[in-house]
């Protein structure tokens, strides 16, 4: 009890009396007063906190937006209850299980020999090689012939051979031991330096290499969160994302407990709506985000506008250039239309760039760049007191594959500036050709609408009257692996070196599929079955994409989709 000695005698006596009477709890008036005061303060803080939140919400979303969000939330909860009702739950479970069984029959071969325990004796080299060959040649979508959107960005034999050689030289290397593997340390530092220079980084800039775009984004979010905590005491961090920003940001939010605000990217530009971003900023905001370009539509957000906003509000701005990687920095030199996107914009504080996409390095390579070394240090992990010794690592991983760093460095120095420039000319040039075909081919231009003005290698389109997922399924039937998108329903194509060679076949197949779907639609109309055809669960001809997104798009609560997706992940580990 501080200050007891300075109490008036009478008070002190009564205090002592009370204390004598009740050993458990002193009830002197002063203490009651302070308890009351504390209660009031707590209540006041509570009120302040919630009224501040309510105000932020109203400012950020407007009255209508707030009501719309509340309505969607109520629907989600009610529908969630509905799905858990006894009869409904068993029905849903049954349908999910059926869908998963169908999926299993497609991705897990039923009649292959399965190896579920270690072989008693190790196999001979010969036997291992034979099995590896069989595994590499399992029936698959032909990326080698360019039938896949994205996924394999280069895949030419010469580069593959050199990468494999580099890998072989450093198979045992681990950059966690720089004294044991000094060459790997040097290569890693040089990879980061080369990428920094590509993005016009200022002298104090710094970066790290990571295992992929997702880790790069996780680290940028972590750094921004730590910075806000240390420098501004932010304990309830929030970040503002374009709806089209890669879902790795949502993963970061889930892992690192950051609240997210999604901002619409409306037609016709499909760029993030800057006015809405500005309205959502409050004292808990730790990071603004823009994509250059985004994954779904291949659109570059207005990074200049975001940069101005970030400077004005003194907030970090991350530019996700994972996909743009080594294409966007070469647009200008290759003579294509471009926009500012890198450290030359003063508000840009961090950039993620995937060396394993258009940097053509093998998978497991990416970089995250920061305007200052101080920003980079916010992602470091250091434990000075572990019984295993003083421990420090730059990112999520502890041990890391030095071989991958060697293969990445090899890709960068062997392709070189001229090689990347030529690749940019080919890949972006071919994307422009495909765009032109979409705009001028009579069957395509009437039915398909390209979203926004894609400047790089990804273009997305929606269908005007057909179900675009039927088109995706039609393309799958012809061996193509394109990407289905949602909100709005659309498909995207990510141009790659293998696809450059066969883009005309892609366009021709697309024309054929659109014609074929139109013909089906005409027959349906004539038969008068149009509404019946899709309404029933038995949607007669619906392919996989149409079935999945037909269901997913119409549900107020996506827990069924979540169950399906988790079941799919389980299948990946079904031996
Ligand atoms: C691919 C991609 C990422 C994430 O990269 P991973 O390497 O798959 O983790 C992030 N952002 C964009 C725009 C991407 O296209």
């Amino acid at each position: 009890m501080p200050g007891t000695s300075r109490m008036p005698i009478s008070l002190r006596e009564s205090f002592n009396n009370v204390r004598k009477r009740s050993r458990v709890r002193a009830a002197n008036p002063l203490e009651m007063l302070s308890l009351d005061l504390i209660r009031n303060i707590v209540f006041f803080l509570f009120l302040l906190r919630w009224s501040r939140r309510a105000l932020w919400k109203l400012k950020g979303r407007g009255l209508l937006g707030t009501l719309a969000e509340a309505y969607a939330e109520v629907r989600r909860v009610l529908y969630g209850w509905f799905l858990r009702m006894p009869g409904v739950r068993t029905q849903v479970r049954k349908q999910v299980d059926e869908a998963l069984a169908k999926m299993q029959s497609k991705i897990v071969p039923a009649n292959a020999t399965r190896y579920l325990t270690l072989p008693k004796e190790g196999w001979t080299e010969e036997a291992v090689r034979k099995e590896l060959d069989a595994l590499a040649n399992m029936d698959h979508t032909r990326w080698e012939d360019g039938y896949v959107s994205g996924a394999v960005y280069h895949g030419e034999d010469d580069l593959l051979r050199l990468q494999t050689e580099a890998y072989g030289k450093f198979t045992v290397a681990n950059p966690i031991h720089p004294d044991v593997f000094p060459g790997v340390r040097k290569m890693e530092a040089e990879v980061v330096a080369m990428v920094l220079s590509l993005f016009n980084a200022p002298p104090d800039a710094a970066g790290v290499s990571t295992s992929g775009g997702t880790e790069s984004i996780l680290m940028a979010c972590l750094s921004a969160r730590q910075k806000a905590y240390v420098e501004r005491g932010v304990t309830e961090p929030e970040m503002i994302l374009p709806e089209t920003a890669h879902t790795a940001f949502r993963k970061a939010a889930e892992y690192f407990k950051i609240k997210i605000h999604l901002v619409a990217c409306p037609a016709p530009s499909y760029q993030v709506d800057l006015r809405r971003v500005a309205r959502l900023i409050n004292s808990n905001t730790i990071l603004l985000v823009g994509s250059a370009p985004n994954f779904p539509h291949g659109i570059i957000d207005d990074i200049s506008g975001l940069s101005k906003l970030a400077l004005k509000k003194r907030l970090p701005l991350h530019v996700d250039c994972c996909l743009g990687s080594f294409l966007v920095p070469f647009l200008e030199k290759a003579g294509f239309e471009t926009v500012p996107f890198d450290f030359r914009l003063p508000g840009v504080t961090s950039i993620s760039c995937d060396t394993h996409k258009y940097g053509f390095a093998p998978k497991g390579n990416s970089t995250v760049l920061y305007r200052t070394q101080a920003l980079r240090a916010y992602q470091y992990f250091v434990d000075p007191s572990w019984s295993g010794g003083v421990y420090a690592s730059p990112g999520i991983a502890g041990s890391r594959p030095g071989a991958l760093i060697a293969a990445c460095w090899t890709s960068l120095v062997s392709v070189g500036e001229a090689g990347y420039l030529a690749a940019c000319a080919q890949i972006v040039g071919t994307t422009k050709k495909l765009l032109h075909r979409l705009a001028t081919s009579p069957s395509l231009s009437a039915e398909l609408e390209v979203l926004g003005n894609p400047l790089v290698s990804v273009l997305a389109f929606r269908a005007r009257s057909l179900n675009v997922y039927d088109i995706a399924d039609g393309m799958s039937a012809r061996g193509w692996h394109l990407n289905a998108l949602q909100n709005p329903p659309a498909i995207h194509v990510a141009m790659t070196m293998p696809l450059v060679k066969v883009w005309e076949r892609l366009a021709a197949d697309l024309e054929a599929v659109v014609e074929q779907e139109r013909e089906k639609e005409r027959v349906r109309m004539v038969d008068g079955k149009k509404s019946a055809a899709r309404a029933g669960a038995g949607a007669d001809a619906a392919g996989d994409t149409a079935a999945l997104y037909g269901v997913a798009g119409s549900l107020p609560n996506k827990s069924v989709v979540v169950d399906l997706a988790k079941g799919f992940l389980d299948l990946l580990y079904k031996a």
Side-chain angles (χ1 to χ4, degrees):
M1 202 61 218
T4 310
S5 62
R6 261 175 277 125
M7 278 182 201
I9 305 268
S10 55
L11 253 184
R12 199 191 306 168
E13 272 179 353
S14 63
F15 172 70
N16 286 338
N17 285 342
V18 170
R19 201 159 57 173
K20 270 178 221 146
R21 255 180 274 133
S22 111
R23 295 238 172 83
V24 188
R25 202 180 140 268
N28 89 62
L30 250 194
E31 193 161 272
M32 300 240 303
L33 192 73
S34 61
L35 262 183
D36 244 17
L37 192 65
I38 289 170
R39 198 179 307 138
N40 281 341
I41 290 175
V42 167
F43 179 69
F44 180 73
L45 285 178
F46 179 81
L47 209 66
L48 186 74
R49 184 184 142 99
W50 286 99
S51 51
R52 196 169 68 153
R53 284 193 166 191
L55 277 177
W56 282 347
K57 183 95 192 167
L58 281 173
K59 174 175 153 255
R61 298 292 185 194
L63 186 60
L64 283 183
T66 306
L67 289 176
E69 273 186 12
Y71 174 69
E73 182 59 17
V74 168
R75 265 176 39 122
R76 194 185 66 78
V77 170
L78 290 181
Y79 197 77
W81 287 347
F82 167 72
L83 287 177
R84 283 199 297 275
M85 278 164 45
V88 182
R89 183 166 42 189
T90 39
Q91 259 309 310
V92 169
R93 193 63 246 176
K94 199 172 134 226
Q95 295 210 2
V96 167
D97 288 344
E98 273 169 21
L100 285 172
K102 208 170 133 198
M103 235 187 262
Q104 173 167 346
S105 69
K106 280 194 188 150
I107 62 177
V108 185
N111 44 16
T113 318
R114 294 144 76 223
Y115 308 102
L116 303 181
T117 54
L118 284 175
K120 278 278 178 291
E121 297 294 330
W123 295 356
T124 61
E125 267 186 41
E126 201 54 38
V128 175
R129 260 193 218 107
K130 190 160 157 261
E131 191 64 22
L132 284 176
D133 276 339
L135 289 164
N137 292 325
M138 275 169 74
D139 196 23
H140 62 275
T141 308
R142 298 296 300 169
W143 67 266
E144 299 91 333
D145 305 330
Y147 274 93
V148 178
S149 151
V152 178
Y153 291 81
H154 193 281
E156 300 275 314
D157 285 342
D158 289 350
L159 183 60
L160 279 179
R161 203 174 313 115
L162 205 54
Q163 286 169 341
T164 310
E165 215 172 286
Y167 198 102
K169 271 201 174 41
F170 290 89
T171 306
V172 297
N174 178 358
I176 211 170
H177 306 295
D179 51 335
V180 188
F181 306 107
V184 167
R185 191 212 66 79
K186 182 168 183 291
M187 283 187 281
E188 181 163 36
E190 288 174 358
V191 164
V192 171
M194 285 186 240
V195 183
L196 279 167
S197 105
L198 210 50
F199 285 81
N200 294 292
D204 185 39
V208 303
S209 58
T210 68
S211 62
T214 298
E215 190 186 345
S216 293
I217 289 169
L218 289 178
M219 290 299 95
C221 294
L222 179 66
S223 160
R225 192 194 75 165
Q226 294 311 93
K227 177 183 161 67
Y229 175 71
V230 172
E231 296 177 13
R232 291 159 45 205
V234 176
T235 53
E236 294 178 51
E238 302 182 4
M239 60 185 175
I240 303 172
L241 306 179
E243 248 171 17
T244 50
H246 196 273
T247 189
F249 290 99
R250 306 186 195 192
K251 193 185 241 183
E254 202 168 300
Y255 284 6
F256 301 140
K257 294 221 163 26
I258 304 169
K259 178 174 173 174
I260 48 174
H261 298 283
L262 296 177
V263 179
C265 306
S269 76
Y270 290 87
Q271 292 173 315
V272 69
D273 183 337
L274 284 185
R275 287 209 334 272
R276 291 184 193 213
V277 173
R279 275 164 45 187
L280 285 162
I281 294 173
N282 63 48
S283 59
N284 280 340
T285 307
I286 58 148
L287 185 66
L288 304 183
V289 171
S291 313
N294 65 44
F295 173 84
H297 310 145
I299 299 298
I300 303 181
D301 287 313
D302 177 2
I303 309 292
S304 304
L306 282 167
S307 165
K308 281 194 199 115
L309 188 59
L311 281 180
K312 190 169 133 208
K313 302 286 185 177
R314 309 223 281 145
L315 286 169
L317 166 62
H318 181 81
V319 175
D320 179 11
C321 205
C322 281
L323 182 59
S325 49
F326 281 39
L327 289 180
V328 175
F330 285 98
L331 284 178
E332 193 177 345
K333 272 195 195 139
F336 296 118
E337 180 185 353
T338 185
V339 288
F341 64 95
D342 64 14
F343 286 114
R344 283 172 291 185
L345 292 170
V348 174
T349 52
S350 57
I351 295 177
S352 45
C353 166
D354 282 359
T355 36
H356 73 192
K357 281 193 178 153
Y358 294 100
F360 305 141
K363 286 285 178 276
N365 280 296
S366 172
T367 54
V368 55
L369 318 174
Y370 297 99
R371 179 172 287 277
T372 64
Q373 301 206 29
L375 273 172
R376 176 176 65 179
Y378 280 123
Q379 73 150 75
Y380 286 169
F381 174 80
V382 178
D383 183 351
S385 52
W386 181 36
S387 46
V390 177
Y391 184 97
S393 67
I396 288 182
S399 294
R400 289 182 298 135
L404 276 180
I405 292 164
C408 178
W409 183 88
T410 299
S411 317
L412 267 52
V413 295
S414 79
V415 178
E417 199 178 313
Y420 288 114
L421 188 57
C424 175
Q426 277 196 294
I427 290 171
V428 179
T430 308
T431 313
K432 306 254 182 220
K433 284 187 205 157
L434 184 55
L435 279 168
H436 181 74
R437 179 79 162 260
L438 283 163
T440 52
S441 147
S443 57
L444 295 183
S445 66
E447 183 55 43
L448 305 180
E449 177 197 342
V450 172
L451 306 190
N453 176 25
L455 298 182
V456 201
S457 59
V458 168
L459 63 86
F461 53 82
R462 55 196 294 185
R464 291 201 169 87
S465 63
L466 297 172
N467 179 338
V468 76
Y469 300 129
D470 286 336
I471 298 175
D473 287 326
M475 291 300 280
S476 295
R478 286 166 187 257
W480 294 94
H481 179 102
L482 306 183
N483 246 287
L485 313 169
Q486 52 182 347
N487 316 317
I491 305 177
H492 95 195
V493 179
M495 191 60 66
T496 60
M497 291 304 259
L499 189 44
V500 160
K501 294 185 197 131
V502 292
W503 79 273
E504 280 172 300
R505 193 156 69 214
L506 173 80
D509 276 351
L510 202 51
E511 282 166 346
V513 168
V514 165
E515 275 311 319
Q516 166 196 321
E517 287 303 320
R518 283 194 156 170
E519 188 50 40
K520 276 194 208 160
E521 195 69 7
R522 268 193 289 273
V523 173
R524 259 183 230 146
M525 297 282 262
V526 171
D527 292 356
K529 287 196 299 196
K530 187 172 164 50
S531 51
R534 279 272 177 263
D540 51 337
D544 290 348
T545 319
L548 173 64
Y549 288 99
V551 173
S554 63
L555 293 175
N557 177 319
K558 309 239 184 281
S559 63
V560 177
V561 182
V562 173
D563 286 348
L564 257 176
K566 286 186 176 165
F568 169 76
L569 293 180
D570 291 342
L571 280 180
L572 296 182
Y573 289 92
K574 186 144 186 79

